[in-house]
């Protein structure tokens, strides 16, 4: 259950393991499905020094071992290289990071933005696509294609071609448009050979 609190939040959290960032180990993260990070809001909102070390340890662990996606490795490398905190290895320019990691400037900006907006976990996770694809070909259209495929071929042709089937489907107004590639996928899925 999400909550917002000012002051001592430990009394609000039930059934939670609470770690001191200065004493917590990176291995502790693997034990939990959900992580809540809390930090003091002193000054202008900078993280405490022990948080910077903790996050750097997590990123170095990802880079050094484990089975992660290539994108996760790349994003961990970017975050390690753009770090300007107390524990950073020195100031790297975006141009230098692009050159070494063979990535574009927009990738660095995207990873930085994800880290700020979504936190460490969000920065290292793959984006879920927001586009919703409407299925154009349903079972009814597939059935009509199969029946057309099994029907008599046009005069002068020994068998149906994929393009002829696609054109005939549109001509008979079974579907607004369909490519020969889609026709092939449907026929391959149903294990049909067009024209035999």
């Amino acid at each position: 259950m999400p909550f917002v609190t000012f002051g001592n939040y430990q009394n609000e959290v039930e059934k939670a393991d609470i770690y001191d960032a200065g004493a917590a180990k990176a291995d502790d993260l693997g034990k939990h499905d959900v992580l809540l990070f809390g930090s003091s809001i002193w000054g202008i909102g900078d993280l405490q020094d022990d948080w910077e070390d903790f996050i750097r340890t997590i990123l170095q662990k990802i880079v050094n071992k484990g089975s992660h996606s290539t994108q996760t490795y790349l994003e961990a490398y970017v975050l390690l290289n753009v770090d300007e905190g107390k524990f950073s290895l020195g100031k790297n320019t975006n141009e230098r990071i692009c050159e070494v990691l063979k990535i574009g400037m927009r990738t660095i900006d995207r990873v930085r933005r994800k880290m700020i907006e979504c936190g460490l976990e969000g920065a290292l996770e793959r984006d879920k696509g927001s586009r919703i694809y409407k299925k154009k070909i349903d079972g009814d259209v597939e059935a009509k294609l199969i029946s057309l495929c099994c029907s008599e071929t046009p005069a002068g042709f020994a068998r149906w071609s994929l393009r002829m089937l696609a054109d005939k489907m549109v001509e008979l107004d079974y579907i607004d448009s369909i490519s020969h590639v889609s026709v092939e996928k449907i026929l391959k899925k149903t294990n049909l050979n067009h024209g035999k």
Side-chain angles (χ1 to χ4, degrees):
M1 182 167 109
F3 66 93
V4 176
T5 182
F6 297 97
N8 187 356
Y9 64 88
Q10 292 181 1
N11 296 332
E12 305 291 330
V13 180
E14 296 178 12
K15 299 178 185 175
D17 295 328
I18 299 173
Y19 298 98
D20 176 13
K25 305 280 187 256
D27 294 334
D28 295 333
L29 292 178
K31 298 176 187 175
H32 305 285
D33 294 329
V34 177
L35 298 172
L36 295 174
F37 289 102
S39 177
S40 61
I41 53 171
W42 297 55
I44 58 170
D46 289 335
L47 286 175
Q48 301 168 191
D49 290 342
D50 48 1
W51 274 103
E52 291 177 17
D53 186 39
F54 185 62
I55 291 173
R56 175 166 280 285
T57 304
I58 294 167
L59 293 173
Q60 286 174 336
K61 189 170 185 174
I62 289 171
V63 168
N64 292 335
K65 65 178 181 178
S67 58
H68 303 284
S69 69
T70 306
Q71 182 178 355
T72 302
Y73 280 114
L74 182 69
E75 289 171 345
Y77 274 119
V78 169
L79 290 171
L80 284 168
N81 282 291
V82 298
D83 181 23
E84 296 177 10
K86 175 180 168 185
F87 299 100
S88 69
L89 301 174
K91 175 83 169 126
N92 287 319
T93 63
N94 285 356
E95 291 81 13
R96 179 71 181 138
I97 297 169
C98 289
E99 183 182 320
V100 171
L101 297 179
K102 308 268 192 269
I103 58 174
M105 291 286 241
R106 291 184 63 192
T107 302
I108 295 174
D109 294 338
R110 179 182 49 80
V111 172
R112 279 183 166 175
R113 187 187 76 246
K114 279 175 57 178
M115 178 68 176
I116 292 167
E117 292 175 357
C118 307
L120 181 63
E121 234 178 88
L124 298 175
E125 284 181 0
R126 182 170 223 117
D127 284 336
K128 307 282 190 280
S130 59
R131 185 172 173 189
I132 300 171
Y133 293 92
K134 183 180 174 190
K135 190 169 183 178
K136 189 175 178 179
I137 302 169
D138 58 6
D140 186 42
V141 173
E142 287 181 8
K144 289 177 181 177
L145 174 62
I146 291 167
S147 67
L148 180 63
C149 188
C150 296
S151 69
E152 196 66 36
T153 58
F157 293 95
R159 61 186 219 163
W160 287 98
S161 73
L162 297 174
R163 291 181 194 276
M164 286 189 331
L165 285 169
D167 292 342
K168 193 68 170 177
M169 291 283 290
V170 173
E171 181 184 321
L172 294 173
D173 206 26
Y174 292 155
I175 194 166
D176 294 333
S177 66
I178 188 169
S179 71
H180 67 282
V181 176
S182 297
V183 169
E184 180 185 28
K185 285 180 183 177
I186 294 168
L187 295 178
K188 192 178 263 189
K189 182 173 78 172
T190 57
N191 220 5
L192 262 180
N193 187 348
H194 54 98
K196 281 191 178 178

